[in-house]
Amino acid sequence: MSDLARHRLAQGIWGLLATPFTEGGEVDEPSLIRLVEHYARLDLSGMTVLGVFGEAADLAPGERRRIVALVRERVPGTPLVVGVTSLDTDAAIAEIRNVEDVGGDAVDSYLVQLNSADPGEVVKHYRRIHDATGARVVAQDYPAVSSVHITQEDLLTVVREAAMVSAVKLESVPTPTKVAYLSDGCDVPVFGGLGGSYLLDELECGAAGAMTGFTAPEGLVACWQAYLAGGFAAASAAWAPYLPLVNFEFQPGLARLLRKEGFKAQGLFANSSSRSGRAELTDELRRLVLMHQARLPGRSAG
């Protein structure tokens, strides 16, 4: 491992921002501002922008810059993690350079996917990124998006050898056992994702919190805080009211649209438009979104 001083991302819940669009396909800045201000009222450790949930791969460089700048302007004291979409090292460096000046010191780390199943190649990837930009890296293990399948042993090697890694975002099932393995073997926080589907078990196995897209992030916070205060039983009770929504939202091919429709139901988004895929929500699914949102703690069924 290099002699670079290890930085560790703050534990807790990192709110993952979606990117709203107008019906004409432009970035809907008023809706984004409403979402950011809503998140700012929660007890979050920070916000993650330009992640998979934020459809960053479908955004032009100028749009990415504007989004990072807007988020920083609205919540200037909030730490940010900024997503990087490319698996190619030079392209990843270009993505970081595109936003680094508008993100400034608000950016704690960049969320960078593993680009190879070979730990040596990943370490080279992260080192080149850091040498070129000075960026700290949250290593994202998300094979459903990257198509990279790495063993937990090799991922541990990456974390140990790449001192610029400030955290791991683990989204490779079975996540609880991998969280336990990595948490025991390295000294950086390991966060769960996947819509909170395995949050409770991940916490019990040593997760440092979650960094995921969910339309009720206050539920993630409630589960995390209950776990700190009372362990598994307390967290289970706090998380139970949100589990039907977790299950409903995390539907393959529909998750992003369902969540955007959920933000619309809360008055945060003007619509649920997306640039990704051709899926559309049926009237039945829209009705179910309203039902799920209305039954959450603190919401009105009327």
Side-chain angles (χ1 to χ4, degrees), residues 45-68:
S45 297
M47 299 185 196
T48 303
V49 60
L50 301 184
V52 173
F53 185 40
E55 299 177 67
D58 296 311
L59 296 170
E63 291 174 321
R64 296 184 193 187
R65 281 180 57 83
R66 176 59 184 155
I67 288 171
V68 173

Side-chain angles (χ1 to χ4, degrees), residues 115-175:
N115 70 332
S116 173
D118 180 343
E121 290 301 313
V122 181
V123 171
K124 290 178 185 177
H125 180 55
Y126 287 167
R127 284 179 176 167
R128 279 192 58 201
I129 288 172
H130 176 79
D131 289 345
T133 67
R136 295 186 290 253
V137 169
V138 175
Q140 185 175 19
D141 182 12
Y142 197 179
V145 171
S146 68
S147 298
V148 172
H149 297 266
I150 193 169
T151 67
Q152 62 184 13
E153 293 81 9
D154 286 341
L155 180 52
L156 179 59
T157 296
V158 170
V159 176
R160 287 176 169 174
E161 294 298 321
M164 68 293 304
V165 172
S166 62
V168 175
K169 186 182 179 191
L170 187 64
E171 300 183 276
S172 174
V173 294
T175 58

Side-chain angles (χ1 to χ4, degrees), residues 12 17 31 79 83 87 112 121 144 148 168 171 182 196 243 268 272 284:
L17 294 170
S31 290
L87 302 185
V112 184
E121 290 301 313
V148 172
V168 175
E171 300 183 276
L182 291 172
L243 288 176
L268 299 171
S272 56
E284 289 83 359

